[in-house]
Amino acid sequence: LTTSVEDFWLTKNETYSFNPNFDYEICSVDLDLSGSPLYIRLEDGVCVEAENPPVNIAGYENEISVILDLPDSLVVINEDFTNGEELILPTGLDGNICESIPLVPDLGDAPIFGRLSDGSWLLFDPRLNLSVNTLVSPLIDGGKKFDLASGGNTYCSNVPRTFLNEDECILSSDACKPSTSNELEVLLEDDTVRALFNLTDRYIYSLKGLNVVDQYDDGSEFPWKLPHPCTGLLRSRWLRKNIIDCEPTDIFSGTNASLVYLLSDEFGGDENPYIRDIYFPENGLSCNVTDTNPEIEITFAEQCWKRVHDDYLSVYDMTYWISRHPGGPFHIKKFADIYDSAFLIFPNGHAVNNHPMYRWHDNYHKFPYIGRYGDYVRIRDLPNNLRTEAVTDFFQDATNTDTSNVIVCGSPGEVSNEKAVGFAFDIDNEQFFRTGNFWGLAENKKFTWLTVSLDANDQLRQRVSWALAQLLVIVNSAVESNSNESESFLHYYDIFVRHAFGNYRDILKEISYSPLMAVNLSFLNSKSSAYIWEHYRIKVQADENFAREIMQLFSMGVELINLDGTTKLDHNGNNILSYTNGDIVSLSRAWTGFSLQKRRGNIESSNNRVDVMAIEPDWRDRFPKSNTATGYIGDRYPLCEDLPEKDFLKKGATYRLLGGSPMPELISEPIEFETDDTIQ
């Protein structure tokens, strides 16, 4: 950029002769204001202070891509901070010139200059433009216009339908849909395993080289081996082989019949094209006791199946082992970095670096399990380190393209920014100056709250809100990964502002669905014991933190009390507990299945910590939960099977608008029901 400068100084009152043939580099700029300091690197490499001159490109207009002749009606903003050099155009411009300007400016776009009638030059400074997307005024296109104009960089702003906004959602004839990446499925095969590695820089492998019988010769008369597949309740894995290469094992007919039954398509229903897992029942089937060799090949119905190790072709994230492998990182990284392979070969039986099988069995639990090679896994079921925006975008569902008849919803308090008031936040109160705190991103939410609380007209509401916030606490350090963000914290605080004079149960419901509370009390992404066992073969209990705190601190307290506040006593004169540890364990299962909504536009969060959390049905615990009164939640409520025939047609039945998709929102059905025309 060339600028003509009438008056210029270096290091105050010092003259300097510039060389017109030398390119002077700007080291840094304090403020983008004329007259403020900037620093220039001279011929000897030293940076010296200079004056930031006003821009003047007169005579160089032909080198500028876009020049707008601006009216004199521009309004000065941020005058106290910019010496009147920051202005805003109150009304839009008309004319063909506007068609050459991108709707959403991006890095690398040509600068846009403005020219005033007095010959002054201005440079367009693109600023964040937020939209009104409230409950009663949701974006009619869900933010589709800006999503398309930015090439997808701004994200769709359509808010997922929840109990907060469902009464105000409307049907749009042309809008973007909230992300469906929760339902995206990834086929674990060579290309996708390599893609996960490239997208995340994590070493994802499918395992080979694991053996049923240890090939490491330690001199033992009886080498280690897996249990026989006929062991009761045992899971065994079988590899499909070419029938031509099959070498059937000589086993008794009873053993063969039981294993063939479990491996058959009619019984197993396992759609993996490479492997099949079977579970030998504790009762009902039997094998000959003299069949003890766990290495078995079976042929039936033109199929051949070979018993393999339980983790053969399992896909794991092996990144942890890179820095801890006794032989160094090279032997873990080489399969991806050098061989460009999706497989890691465990060297059991290797001619040079033979590893005993215990090396795998002692360490495999340290590696995040992803799934079986040849299976589909949902994006939501990937380990946290792999469930990134880059991965979601790469595997984005190609079927989610129909933008007609879409339900659009808003969010409480999601208003536009008022650009006319400027872009600087002026803390104009004595309390701010008394604190003496450093102003940084982490302080924004505190001083925003401070200004509103002190200056708002509804002081009683503000004080009640503050009191409620001291009871239903979010600890900043507990969610410190997003501590620099303001909106998610202020959105949580607004729950108390909205309900200051309302119902405490409504407050409990909203804070229970709040992403910040889920992070704060560690039930975000908590999964049922059954889900963890089915997917990872690990026995764990649901997180108990929130189940305890919502009773102990947020509602009923530890002991039952009378209406006058005194503690209730049993017949022995002892205080009666409100709940037991068994209740905590039971109710912790009620807080499984909560996850963040997908990232969207028009909010600050890099991950969505603003919207009400989603519930993942597969993660939920499906068993009864105690109600702290010797019964169970839902007692005496009718089951669906108990409802009268055609109950959905009776008076009082409710219907839910689904827009242009027949897929339900409140229950889960396979995406193929919508996309596969052959399914009726």
Side-chain angles (χ1 to χ4, degrees):
L1 176 65
T2 303
T3 180
S4 173
V5 180
E6 296 180 358
D7 187 20
F8 198 74
W9 51 257
L10 280 180
T11 321
K12 289 289 186 184
N13 302 320
E14 180 178 327
T15 59
Y16 187 82
S17 299
F18 287 95
N19 181 356
N21 298 317
F22 183 80
D23 292 330
Y24 294 92
E25 176 188 346
I26 296 177
C27 306
S28 63
V29 180
D30 284 353
L31 292 172
D32 293 329
L33 302 174
S34 61
S36 64
L38 63 76
Y39 298 85
I40 295 179
R41 192 181 307 280
L42 301 181
E43 291 89 342
D44 58 3
V46 177
C47 288
V48 297
E49 182 183 352
E51 178 186 23
N52 195 345
V55 173
N56 184 356
I57 56 175
Y60 297 92
E61 290 88 346
N62 292 335
E63 299 181 22
I64 306 302
S65 299
V66 181
I67 297 177
L68 304 177
D69 288 313
L70 301 175
D72 293 330
S73 58
L74 274 74
V75 178
V76 174
I77 58 174
N78 299 335
E79 186 169 8
D80 293 339
F81 300 94
T82 65
N83 298 327
E85 295 187 9
E86 197 159 295
L87 303 97
I88 189 169
L89 188 65
T91 57
L93 298 176
D94 296 322
N96 295 333
I97 187 65
C98 294
E99 298 179 1
S100 63
I101 302 174
L103 180 63
V104 180
D106 201 357
L107 292 175
D109 289 348
I112 300 172
F113 288 91
R115 180 170 46 198
L116 298 178
S117 60
D118 63 359
S120 300
W121 290 91
L122 302 175
L123 179 65
F124 174 58
D125 184 11
R127 296 296 180 115
L128 186 67
N129 184 36
L130 299 176
S131 303
V132 174
N133 194 27
T134 61
L135 294 179
V136 296
S137 298
L139 276 166
I140 191 62
D141 68 348
K144 177 184 176 181
K145 178 176 68 173
F146 298 112
D147 183 30
L148 294 176
S150 67
N153 289 330
T154 59
Y155 294 93
C156 178
S157 302
N158 198 352
V159 183
R161 180 156 49 169
T162 67
F163 66 88
L164 273 185
N165 58 21
E166 61 182 348
D167 291 338
E168 285 84 12
C169 295
I170 58 177
L171 184 66
S172 174
S173 60
D174 187 19
C176 57
K177 298 179 181 179
S179 172
T180 58
S181 59
N182 270 7
E183 303 301 324
L184 290 182
E185 290 186 333
V186 176
L187 175 61
L188 293 178
E189 56 182 1
D190 287 30
D191 291 342
T192 52
V193 170
R194 298 292 300 132
L196 288 172
F197 164 70
N198 292 325
L199 292 167
T200 64
D201 292 326
R202 301 192 67 81
Y203 287 82
I204 314 300
Y205 291 119
S206 179
L207 272 295
K208 289 184 176 182
L210 301 169
N211 291 305
V212 174
V213 177
D214 197 347
Q215 303 301 304
Y216 183 83
D217 185 7
D218 61 356
S220 172
E221 183 179 356
F222 303 103
W224 174 92
K225 59 185 178 181
L226 287 173
H228 194 275
C230 289
T231 305
L233 302 181
L234 180 76
R235 173 180 68 91
S236 59
R237 178 162 295 179
W238 299 75
L239 176 69
R240 187 190 296 269
K241 288 185 63 176
N242 191 316
I243 190 68
I244 299 176
D245 301 325
C246 200
E247 300 177 0
T249 306
D250 185 15
I251 55 178
F252 283 89
S253 59
T255 303
N256 187 80
S258 293
L259 294 176
V260 166
Y261 174 72
L262 295 174
L263 284 167
S264 64
D265 294 336
E266 292 78 10
F267 178 82
D270 193 331
E271 298 181 358
N272 189 296
Y274 309 109
I275 55 178
R276 180 163 293 178
D277 288 350
I278 65 173
Y279 295 84
F280 201 87
E282 195 168 19
N283 299 297
L285 293 178
S286 62
C287 297
N288 193 294
V289 294
T290 60
D291 282 327
T292 58
N293 182 10
E295 294 183 299
I296 300 174
E297 287 192 28
I298 289 181
T299 180
F300 65 94
E302 300 301 317
Q303 300 179 39
C304 178
W305 293 92
K306 177 184 178 180
R307 169 80 184 289
V308 292
H309 188 275
D310 298 345
D311 271 324
Y312 188 87
L313 291 188
S314 287
V315 181
Y316 283 91
D317 180 355
M318 302 294 295
T319 309
Y320 168 87
W321 202 234
I322 288 174
S323 61
R324 294 166 176 82
H325 183 249
F330 170 78
H331 295 290
I332 305 298
K333 299 172 69 173
K334 64 182 180 182
F335 297 98
D337 292 346
I338 298 177
Y339 307 143
D340 194 31
S341 173
F343 298 96
L344 182 148
I345 313 299
F346 185 82
N348 181 241
H350 192 276
V352 179
N353 296 313
N354 194 2
H355 284 33
M357 285 301 301
Y358 76 79
R359 289 272 296 271
W360 173 254
H361 296 132
D362 287 351
N363 294 287
Y364 78 95
H365 62 280
K366 302 173 183 176
F367 317 132
Y369 174 74
I370 298 170
R372 302 183 307 173
Y373 187 87
D375 277 354
Y376 283 91
V377 296
R378 287 179 173 175
I379 291 287
R380 70 184 184 200
D381 291 330
L382 292 175
N384 290 341
N385 288 331
L386 301 182
R387 203 167 59 245
T388 65
E389 291 294 337
V391 169
T392 298
D393 291 344
F394 182 83
F395 295 108
Q396 184 64 47
D397 187 2
T399 66
N400 191 33
T401 56
D402 184 7
T403 59
S404 61
N405 298 318
V406 174
I407 302 296
V408 293
C409 307
S411 175
E414 194 169 312
V415 297
S416 62
N417 50 330
E418 297 186 22
K419 294 176 283 296
V421 301
F423 304 111
F425 182 41
D426 183 12
I427 302 296
D428 186 18
N429 60 65
E430 295 182 3
Q431 285 75 9
F432 165 68
F433 297 105
R434 288 175 183 171
T435 59
N437 286 327
F438 171 74
W439 180 274
L441 288 177
E443 307 299 323
N444 281 351
K445 53 184 172 290
K446 176 166 57 177
F447 293 120
T448 302
W449 166 82
L450 181 64
T451 299
V452 173
S453 297
L454 293 177
D455 295 342
N457 294 325
D458 53 352
Q459 282 298 298
L460 180 57
R461 179 183 295 274
Q462 298 299 327
R463 291 166 190 254
V464 173
S465 304
W466 172 247
L468 290 169
Q470 307 315 296
L471 299 175
L472 305 161
V473 177
I474 291 292
V475 181
N476 191 50
S477 59
V479 288
E480 59 186 6
S481 61
N482 289 68
S483 60
N484 284 342
E485 293 184 358
S486 298
E487 186 173 11
S488 58
F489 286 89
L490 296 172
H491 192 273
Y492 177 81
Y493 189 86
D494 277 348
I495 295 174
F496 311 128
V497 177
R498 290 197 304 272
H499 297 292
F501 306 135
N503 189 305
Y504 189 68
R505 187 187 186 281
D506 294 336
I507 297 176
L508 279 183
K509 183 175 182 178
E510 285 203 39
I511 66 107
S512 299
Y513 276 85
S514 166
L516 260 63
M517 181 58 75
V519 175
N520 184 66
L521 290 179
S522 63
F523 69 97
L524 180 66
N525 296 330
S526 179
K527 303 174 181 66
S528 69
S529 300
Y531 180 91
I532 296 296
W533 172 251
E534 290 169 2
H535 285 75
Y536 306 112
R537 295 295 155 186
I538 300 173
K539 295 180 179 179
V540 296
Q541 298 293 327
D543 188 279
E544 300 174 6
N545 207 359
F546 187 65
R548 179 186 303 104
E549 302 304 328
I550 194 172
M551 293 189 292
Q552 178 180 341
L553 300 180
F554 299 164
S555 58
M556 60 203 307
V558 177
E559 298 171 340
L560 295 179
I561 59 173
N562 298 300
L563 290 178
D564 61 359
T566 58
T567 305
K568 285 189 175 182
L569 305 177
D570 62 18
H571 62 278
N572 292 322
N574 299 318
N575 295 349
I576 301 177
L577 297 178
S578 300
Y579 56 89
T580 66
N581 195 60
D583 291 324
I584 295 174
V585 174
S586 178
L587 290 170
S588 68
R589 297 186 283 108
W591 300 107
T592 55
F594 289 83
S595 70
L596 297 180
Q597 299 281 7
K598 295 301 121 183
R599 186 175 181 178
R600 66 176 179 86
N602 215 46
I603 58 176
E604 179 186 21
S605 297
S606 55
N607 49 20
N608 191 340
R609 298 197 180 193
V610 170
D611 293 331
V612 167
M613 287 188 293
I615 292 181
E616 307 292 354
D618 293 348
W619 296 358
R620 294 282 290 169
D621 184 279
R622 302 176 184 179
F623 297 98
K625 288 87 178 173
S626 64
N627 62 6
T628 73
T630 70
Y632 292 90
I633 295 175
D635 281 352
R636 293 182 291 184
Y637 276 77
L639 300 176
C640 292
E641 62 191 36
D642 298 328
L643 295 175
E645 185 180 359
K646 298 182 180 179
D647 187 68
F648 61 91
L649 295 177
K650 294 183 180 297
K651 182 179 180 180
T654 59
Y655 291 83
R656 187 176 181 85
L657 180 64
L658 297 177
S661 170
M663 297 295 287
E665 291 183 346
L666 301 181
I667 59 175
S668 178
E669 288 184 354
I671 192 68
E672 292 83 3
F673 283 16
E674 180 179 20
T675 60
D676 190 341
D677 293 335
T678 65
I679 298 177
Q680 302 299 322

